[in-house]
Amino acid sequence: MLLTMNGLVLRETQAGDKGRFIDILTEEYGVMEVFVRGAKKITGKSIGTTQLFSYSSFCIEQRGERYYYQSARPIRIFYQLRENLVNLSLASYFAELIRTSVPKSRHDRSVLRLILNTLYYLSEGKRSPEMLKPLFELRFASDIGFMPDVLMCRRCMDHLPESIVFSVDEGCFWCSDCYNAINEEQNLYTYNLYPMKLSGLEMIRHITLVDQERLFNFKAGSETLRTVSEFSEAFVKCHMAVKPKSLEFYHSLEHK
């Protein structure tokens, strides 16, 4: 049976001298593993369609539970990502999160749209890696069912506190006054906590709640970006139970 779909290549894996496997994120079938026969012999326009971070219209043959590449027409090839190692490592981290978290046969356009928009802003230099990392982490987690509670203080229900303490484990926040009171009374919330100002909470709310058309349209100071990025990374690791090697490489490049 022949299938046609648009998809983004998330990973390439060599399969001896005969070909390679590619993981494709699609709207209709989630993440698919597709075998490309004689991949080294593919020439012309088709060669770019099976490379990492290529977005193409694929024709795939299904045989039982296996998929085989037949042909593809390129839609967008993110070549610019290869020109910057920091950007490439960050994009690889996003791809690893998707591969390890999106189930097969998931019919959902939101994740594909999110990664395509993120790669566009990253490859074109229209948004910084420091902004795109927490944005992708939190929006991706929210889109697949791990949205934190960002509406109000869990205890007093204040929705605009001047400062808060966000709990990664609980997935919620307390205003600073309520947190101090709870901690005095029960001494329960003493780890995996991220104090932040209202600006950090507002950034998290924007990322998790706005529609995709406005998702990338916000500004934040360096301190807010750093705080939210630390929180979002810890949140993803905790609730999605992942330890991406690509993230370690990205951090090693950050400090060079």
Side-chain angles (χ1 to χ4, degrees), residues 12 24 40 45 70 82 103 114 119 145 171:
E12 305 170 89
I24 306 172
K40 294 180 180 179
K45 292 183 179 181
Q70 294 297 315
R82 297 170 176 79
L114 174 63
L119 293 183

Side-chain angles (χ1 to χ4, degrees), residues 28-65:
E28 299 88 353
Y29 305 99
V31 177
M32 304 171 62
E33 184 181 67
V34 178
F35 183 69
V36 184
R37 302 182 189 87
K40 294 180 180 179
K41 297 180 180 179
I42 297 177
T43 59
K45 292 183 179 181
S46 296
I47 190 169
T49 60
T50 61
Q51 292 180 344
L52 186 62
F53 302 125
S54 297
Y55 179 55
S56 304
S57 177
F58 288 93
C59 178
I60 304 295
E61 180 184 4
Q62 181 179 7
R63 298 181 191 171
E65 296 183 357

